[in-house]
Amino acid sequence: MGILDNVRIVLVETSHPGNIGASARAMKNMGLGRLYLVRPRLFPHAEASARASGADDVLANARLCDTLSEALGGCTLALASSARGRTLSWPQLSPNECAKKVMVEGPGRDVALVFGRERCGLSNSELDLCHALVHIPANPSYASLNLSAAVQILCYELYVASANNLTASSADGDPMAEIQRVEQFYIHLEQTLTALEFLDPSNPKYLMRRLRRLFNRVRLTGKEVNILRGILTATQRGISR
Ligand code: SAH
C-alpha cells in the first residue's frame, strides 16, 4: 500500500461524462485509483468510458455518493481545488504545497481532493467541509482550467511528491516521522540550545525557524528523530554534570 492509495479524488456534480473519463485517465497515469462521484449528471456513460481509455478500471471501481460529506467519510483531511482564489476564510495552498500536505498526512490516513462543477465550482457550504483551498496558478483573466486538466495537475504533484518521499526514507524503509514527533524534537532542541546558552530565550524565533527549515528540507525518519533526541538527552546530561 503506497501513500497514493489513501488519496481519493472526489468530483462533485460533474456535468460532462467525458470529463469523468478524462479524470480517471489522469488519475491512473499518476498512480491514483480511488474515484468518488457525487451526483454525476450522466454516469456510467459511453463518453466517460471512451475518454478513460485504459483507465476503465478506475471508472468501474468509482463510488457513487449523494452528498460531499458522504464522499468524505473516513477522511482526516479534505482539500478543495478552486479556480477562484477565494476569501480569507480558507487557507490557500499551491499544488506543490497540497501534495506535501498529503504526504505529511499519510500513510494510513484517508485524504480527499475535491473538485467542483464545470459551471460553478464548489458551494461555500461544500468548502466548509474542507480544510484548505488549492489554487492552480493560471492566467488571471482566464484561470478556470478544464476539470480533468485540474485533476491532472494535482495528481501529478502528488505523484512527484510521493516518489520523493520514498527516496527520502532510509534504505531500511524507516518511515517519515509524524509531525507531532518532529514537533517534540523541536521543543527538546530548543530546551537544549537554551541550556547551552546558544539560544537567547528572549528571542528564540529566528534560530528555531531556520533550524525547522533545515530539518523540514531533509525530512526526518522516526529512527533519525530518536537518534537526535538521544543526542539531546546526552547533551543535557553533560551540561548538568
Ligand atoms: N467556473 C468555475 C470553475 C469550474 S472548473 C468556478 O469559477 O469556480 C471545474 C473545477 O476544476 C473547479 O471547481 C476546480 O475544482 C477545478 N479547477 C479549475 N481551474 C482551477 C484552478 N485554476 N485551480 C484549482 N482548481 C481548478
Side-chain angles (χ1 to χ4, degrees), residues 205-222:
K205 284 269 150 48
Y206 196 62
L207 178 65
M208 287 314 296
R209 188 164 295 142
R210 281 187 176 277
L211 289 170
R212 274 171 184 270
R213 227 160 58 187
L214 164 69
F215 288 112
N216 283 344
R217 203 159 61 227
V218 178
R219 300 289 323 273
L220 297 171
T221 69

Side-chain angles (χ1 to χ4, degrees), residues 80-117:
S81 124
S82 170
R84 284 167 277 173
R86 239 170 278 228
T87 63
L88 301 166
S89 311
W90 294 274
Q92 194 167 301
L93 306 172
S94 70
N96 187 258
E97 290 164 339
C98 162
K100 284 187 179 137
K101 201 164 176 65
V102 171
M103 295 307 125
V104 165
E105 187 78 4
R109 272 165 272 179
D110 281 358
V111 169
L113 297 188
V114 184
F115 295 81
R117 302 155 185 84

Side-chain angles (χ1 to χ4, degrees), residues 80-84 86 114-122 134-138 143-147 150 154:
S81 124
S82 170
R84 284 167 277 173
R86 239 170 278 228
V114 184
F115 295 81
R117 302 155 185 84
E118 290 94 333
R119 228 162 254 150
C120 55
L122 295 162
V134 187
H135 180 66
I136 300 163
S144 177
L145 279 70
N146 169 265
L147 172 62
L154 296 199

